[in-house]
Amino acid sequence: MNNKNELIYEGKAKKVFSHDDEDKVIIEFKDDATAFNSLKKAKFEGKGKLNCQISTRIFELLIKKNIPTHFIELKNENTMIAKKIKVIPLEIVLRNIAYGSLCKQTTIKSGTVLAKPLIDIYLKNDELNDPLITKERIELMDILNIEDLDIIINLTLKINLILKNFFKKIKLKLVDFKLEFGYDLKNNILLGDEISPDNCRLWDLNQQNDTIVSLDKDRFRNDLGGLIEAYSEINRRINEFI
Ligand code: TMP
Ligand code: ASP
């Protein structure tokens, strides 16, 4: 980054800098990891690079399948150039298998394969602890109109089909994932943020029995160890396949 690139925003896992072109930004992936709204924090050397590489490959795959995303190009190992977007403050979670908060908040048994994908929408607000919200509350808060919310939900379902199929080919089960969307300068809805083991649950399908082996941020959330090894394995499988 040079002096001209001003820090616009710093999140838990990424920094966003201005770009010489007004309609672009530079996104730097950090080595920091947080869980449970920052109650738990750590640094993993190399995580930023791995998530940047993995996200790049996934965005490239989605773009090929006509999903509108903010991704433009990889700049270097841990930075990418993306279109500038106004982030919609919603976290769109899609679940194929019941796990994590769904099982803590309901009586659904962990590991239950859901008959159809479940979409849970959370308000992106650290102070409120990212609460689960409803369509009606979204409308009341004037976050976006319901037509745009439907576009986002349909894109999420389409992304799920593409990713589920892709990860299956590299022997990974896509349990659930979180997406964020935004508006570009022309008001188009684009997929933003990142797609990496930080915001997807991925289970290894190379297991003899039904043992769950998480190759994602659950290694940190649940103190399993081996986070960098897991992310490296995902990166290796993706690069071997593509
Ligand atoms: P959950 O089971 O904790 O609700 O998580 C569902 C999915 O969303 C899982 O793949 C992890 C991801 N996620 C994020 O990316 N950011 C978050 O802040 C949370 C809570 C979950
Ligand atoms: N990203 C969230 C946090 O830092 C939580 C998570 O991914 O589990 O707090």
Side-chain angles (χ1 to χ4, degrees):
M1 233 63 61
N2 63 42
N3 296 334
K4 286 190 297 176
N5 303 119
E6 206 187 302
L7 179 68
I8 307 172
Y9 170 81
E10 179 160 6
K12 293 177 193 136
K14 292 185 289 300
K15 286 181 183 173
V16 181
F17 296 90
S18 64
H19 188 279
D20 299 346
D21 292 347
E22 276 252 316
D23 56 349
K24 295 180 185 166
V25 289
I26 302 168
I27 303 176
E28 183 186 305
F29 287 65
K30 305 196 291 184
D31 285 342
D32 304 78
T34 63
F36 315 114
N37 200 13
S38 297
L39 278 178
K40 209 169 160 178
K41 284 187 201 173
K43 232 183 174 70
F44 295 92
E45 208 187 316
K47 181 176 85 77
K49 281 184 201 165
L50 284 162
N51 279 351
C52 187
Q53 312 289 317
I54 294 168
S55 280
T56 293
R57 294 282 172 247
I58 305 277
F59 278 129
E60 286 170 346
L61 167 75
L62 293 174
I63 290 166
K64 259 197 225 155
K65 304 273 182 187
N66 294 319
I67 301 290
T69 87
H70 72 156
F71 177 79
I72 299 176
E73 61 183 359
L74 191 66
K75 181 173 154 72
N76 61 42
E77 278 183 319
N78 68 337
T79 53
M80 60 171 63
I81 314 276
K83 292 173 195 156
K84 186 187 272 179
I85 56 169
K86 186 164 167 273
V87 177
I88 299 165
L90 296 177
E91 301 200 344
I92 317 292
V93 169
L94 183 143
R95 303 175 193 273
N96 292 307
I97 296 177
Y99 209 68
S101 72
L102 176 62
C103 303
K104 289 185 188 141
Q105 294 164 359
T106 69
T107 54
I108 303 168
K109 242 185 95 201
S110 202
T112 307
V113 177
L114 304 175
K116 61 179 177 111
L118 171 69
I119 294 190
D120 280 335
I121 305 179
Y122 298 85
L123 181 67
K124 191 173 155 66
N125 184 316
D126 283 343
E127 275 156 43
L128 296 177
N129 219 352
D130 295 349
L132 183 64
I133 53 164
T134 60
K135 254 189 180 183
E136 291 74 14
R137 288 186 183 192
I138 292 173
E139 253 185 315
L140 277 176
M141 281 183 287
D142 237 344
I143 293 178
L144 81 175
N145 63 52
I146 292 306
E147 290 76 38
D148 283 0
L149 185 61
D150 285 341
I151 292 176
I152 286 173
I153 290 172
N154 284 326
L155 277 172
T156 304
L157 290 167
K158 215 168 142 189
I159 292 166
N160 182 46
L161 291 178
I162 298 167
L163 294 186
K164 230 170 71 168
N165 185 35
F166 172 72
F167 282 125
K168 200 172 161 198
K169 287 184 185 154
I170 57 169
K171 296 270 178 276
L172 294 167
K173 183 167 271 183
L174 180 62
V175 175
D176 55 29
F177 56 90
K178 184 260 306 183
L179 302 178
E180 292 181 22
F181 293 85
Y183 292 102
D184 69 8
L185 300 183
K186 290 179 186 151
N187 248 11
N188 298 305
I189 293 175
L190 305 182
L191 172 66
D193 197 40
E194 65 179 285
I195 302 191
S196 74
D198 264 15
N199 56 0
C200 299
R201 281 199 174 96
L202 294 163
W203 291 351
D204 191 9
L205 284 171
N206 283 340
Q207 297 298 317
Q208 298 297 353
N209 40 37
D210 281 343
T211 324
I212 294 172
V213 174
S214 300
L215 296 177
D216 54 57
K217 204 165 87 173
D218 273 349
R219 302 216 68 86
F220 168 61
R221 292 190 190 99
N222 304 333
D223 298 315
L224 301 169
L227 178 133
I228 290 296
E229 290 77 1
Y231 285 33
S232 301
E233 176 60 15
I234 290 184
N235 196 33
R236 191 191 64 75
R237 287 191 204 178
I238 291 176
N239 286 323
E240 205 178 71
F241 184 80
I242 287 179

